[in-house]
Amino acid sequence: MTSGDRTSSAELEDWADRIEVGCRGTRFDASLVRVLATCDSTQDVARSAGPGAVVVAGRQTHGRGRLGRPWIEDLGTGVAISLATRAEAVDRLLLGSTVGVLDAIRAALPGSNQGRVGIKFPNDLVERTRGAKVGGILVEVADDVAVIGIGVNVHRREWPEELSAIGLEELGADQGYRRIDLIETLPVRISNALDADRATLVARFVDAHLPTGRRVEIECGDRIHRGTLESLDPTESLRVRGDDGVVRVWPAASTRILSWEPVGG
């Protein structure tokens, strides 16, 4: 275990067995579970293993986020997992994965705190009052394989000054909560969500979307726009009333929310 790194071989000892049990009855294959002490990116390993694979790293050193952005190294304090499945529409995979991860995160928290975590379009899980990032999802599709990458902050750590982030410990997860306690629930949560119909997924995403009704800054292509997010359909469009009072509709496929004003902002 290196300085600042919480990962140890003892911590990982029971991970494979518990994840294999968690894969039963899902679209993921217990025989394709891989637990690595460290790796560059779980995405690459899962893609090589093929549909059904579940790859987890105690520490991921070169993870990536949406649009090729680097994922901040979590020093062994968070979850880094990739799940491979048969390719289908990216928007549906992202919807299902986001809803499934949100379910898993909320289940890890006491009832009074579950509503503190919600969704920020297109792929982030965030805390309600500060807007701090709890986790994120990346979906990559090539040929007939889709790989769903998930990062979730679990334990306390010092984050870079420019990054607003928070972990499950700070949100009230039980004392002694381990990363595997979340990891083992993800295959079934993701599988169940991906098996739901599109209308249900859209409704659940919209219901959990925290920036709706708040002031936002969005990016679409090379344009930046500011205003109040009146509504969204994550598969179609975002409806924003600009600072000039004009309502504009922005395509979901090419728009992202850069920032938003949380409840406590």
Side-chain angles (χ1 to χ4, degrees), residues 24-245:
R24 292 175 183 169
T26 75
R27 62 173 62 195
F28 303 107
D29 187 342
S31 71
L32 294 178
V33 170
R34 303 287 184 270
V35 175
L36 309 172
T38 185
C39 76
D40 288 345
S41 171
T42 55
Q43 290 289 95
D44 299 331
V45 180
R47 176 169 303 286
S48 296
V54 178
V55 178
V56 183
R59 180 176 179 182
Q60 180 179 238
T61 57
H62 290 87
R64 56 183 178 269
R66 189 169 174 267
L67 303 178
R69 297 182 180 87
W71 182 265
I72 298 297
E73 222 275 79
D74 68 7
L75 303 177
T77 62
V79 165
I81 180 172
S82 294
L83 306 97
T85 186
R86 295 291 179 190
E88 54 183 287
V90 173
D91 63 346
R92 177 177 171 76
L93 289 168
L94 188 58
L95 275 176
S97 302
T98 304
V99 168
V101 175
L102 178 63
D103 285 345
I105 289 174
R106 286 180 169 176
L109 302 176
S112 58
N113 281 3
Q114 289 178 358
R116 284 184 63 185
V117 180
I119 296 168
K120 178 175 79 76
F121 176 86
N123 64 329
D124 286 337
L125 290 313
V126 294
E127 191 272 340
R128 178 182 295 275
T129 59
R130 286 172 33 205
K133 187 169 181 175
V134 181
I137 294 94
L138 170 68
V139 175
E140 297 178 318
V141 177
D143 300 323
D144 62 343
V145 181
V147 182
I148 302 161
I150 298 164
V152 179
N153 305 324
V154 177
H155 299 300
R156 296 176 186 271
R157 64 154 290 185
E158 293 295 324
W159 294 99
E161 285 187 12
E162 70 277 9
L163 184 67
S164 177
I166 191 170
L168 300 188
E169 280 187 347
E170 296 165 89
L171 289 167
D174 288 341
Q175 186 174 8
Y177 189 83
R178 297 173 58 202
R179 293 185 288 168
I180 186 59
D181 297 329
L182 178 71
I183 291 166
E184 67 181 352
T185 70
L186 290 173
V188 68
R189 294 283 188 183
I190 298 295
S191 188
N192 287 346
L194 292 177
D195 289 342
D197 64 85
R198 181 181 289 266
T200 296
L201 291 177
V202 168
R204 294 198 57 204
F205 190 106
V206 169
D207 183 62
H209 191 254
L210 298 182
T212 302
R214 310 296 300 174
R215 181 174 170 77
V216 297
E217 180 180 67
I218 66 169
E219 178 185 62
C220 183
D222 59 356
R223 299 180 65 185
I224 303 294
H225 189 69
R226 300 172 180 85
T228 299
L229 178 63
E230 293 194 337
S231 63
L232 90 158
D233 177 333
T235 65
E236 295 291 339
S237 61
L238 291 77
R239 180 182 173 92
V240 179
R241 182 174 296 276
D243 292 342
D244 57 4

Side-chain angles (χ1 to χ4, degrees), residues 14-29:
D14 62 344
W15 282 24
D17 290 341
R18 290 176 64 172
I19 297 167
E20 287 168 12
V21 171
C23 288
R24 292 175 183 169
T26 75
R27 62 173 62 195
F28 303 107
D29 187 342

